[in-house]
Amino acid sequence: MIGLGTGGLERIVALGAHCDDIAIGAGGTLLTLCAANPGVRVDALVLSGGGTEREAEERAALAAFCQGADVEVTVLKLPDGRFPAHWEEAKNALEELRRRTDPDLVLSPRTADAHQDHRGLATLVPTVFRTHLQLEYEIAKWDGDLAKPTAYVPLTPERAEEKVRLLQEHYASQRHRPWYDREAFLGLARIRGIECGQRYAEAFDLKKLTLDLTPKG
């Protein structure tokens, strides 16, 4: 297995269909990146939950996951479960975000995700962020849509535990859900860690990667 680094990052875009998607799918990665790149700019766009308690949860959570970063969070009001009927609004929001930033990395849902909202957002991303490194995060669910990932971000045990702690602390509205618990989050991270030779990891789909193999310096 070959490990490739991104080098220093200055700008990250994090995209979610719902409040908590980003933190569940890529919270450990954000913790890692923001710790390694103090002052990094993180632009987060969430398509639903605006004006509800979930927006407040999301803002507080992403501030905690991105400590030391320059974070801007936008939460829209698209209706949960109805994104395919609101394609134009979602596309316009992505294009507006693209006009404001040229990110080094885009974090987004998987195009193979069984949830129509996740999948709909994911299919729009490469139509707007065409030449950017895009990592598609995974979210475990009853649909059983987890697959074989193509990229991994290792997490230390401390960071994996921190991710779970922040998820439990900031998303009180989700604690009643049967899948929203420490065992689920750490269990998936442990499996992905085994797959990449680490204790814990977050896994991603990587559709396209351009390699510069010329010597530096």
Side-chain angles (χ1 to χ4, degrees):
M1 179 177 294
I2 299 175
L4 296 175
T6 59
L9 296 178
E10 296 182 0
R11 295 170 299 275
I12 299 170
V13 161
L15 304 171
H18 315 99
C19 296
D20 78 16
D21 285 354
I22 295 170
I24 292 173
T29 297
L30 284 174
L31 286 168
T32 301
L33 289 175
C34 291
N37 300 273
V40 63
R41 171 74 178 193
V42 178
D43 286 285
L45 172 63
V46 182
L47 298 186
S48 67
T52 71
E53 66 172 339
R54 301 213 64 198
E55 178 178 356
E57 290 179 342
E58 185 77 336
R59 292 185 180 279
L62 291 181
F65 276 100
C66 302
Q67 288 187 35
D70 177 16
V71 185
E72 179 71 26
V73 180
T74 302
V75 183
L76 304 184
K77 299 181 179 180
L78 273 62
D80 188 356
R82 300 289 188 272
F83 288 4
H86 295 266
W87 181 92
E88 185 174 0
E89 294 170 68
K91 179 71 178 289
N92 288 342
L94 286 174
E95 289 179 339
E96 195 280 328
L97 175 58
R98 175 65 182 90
R99 285 189 289 269
R100 292 192 282 111
T101 186
D102 185 21
D104 303 301
L105 172 65
V106 178
L107 300 169
S108 67
R110 296 169 58 238
T111 51
D113 196 295
H115 194 297
Q116 69 271 20
D117 292 351
H118 301 173
R119 188 171 62 251
L121 171 57
T123 58
L124 286 175
V125 175
T127 72
V128 177
F129 295 94
R130 293 180 177 274
T131 60
H132 300 81
L133 176 61
Q134 179 189 357
L135 294 179
E136 295 185 339
Y137 57 75
E138 60 182 355
I139 297 177
K141 60 182 72 66
W142 72 271
D143 306 80
D145 62 355
L146 296 178
K148 183 177 181 180
T150 52
Y152 299 85
V153 175
L155 303 177
T156 64
E158 294 78 15
R159 194 144 282 154
E161 290 284 0
E162 184 180 8
K163 172 184 175 177
V164 173
R165 178 182 65 79
L166 292 176
L167 286 172
Q168 295 289 2
E169 177 181 338
H170 288 286
Y171 295 104
S173 66
Q174 305 304 299
R175 292 176 192 153
H176 69 284
R177 299 185 181 277
W179 52 267
Y180 197 91
D181 60 35
R182 181 177 184 275
E183 287 181 306
F185 298 135
L186 276 186
L188 180 57
R190 180 70 184 107
I191 291 171
R192 296 317 191 193
I194 291 171
E195 293 173 350
C196 68
Q198 303 291 326
R199 182 65 184 176
Y200 296 105
E202 286 179 338
F204 300 86
D205 283 351
L206 177 59
K207 293 295 191 297
K208 187 183 291 188
L209 176 66
T210 300
L211 298 175
D212 181 357
L213 301 179
T214 58
K216 302 298 181 183

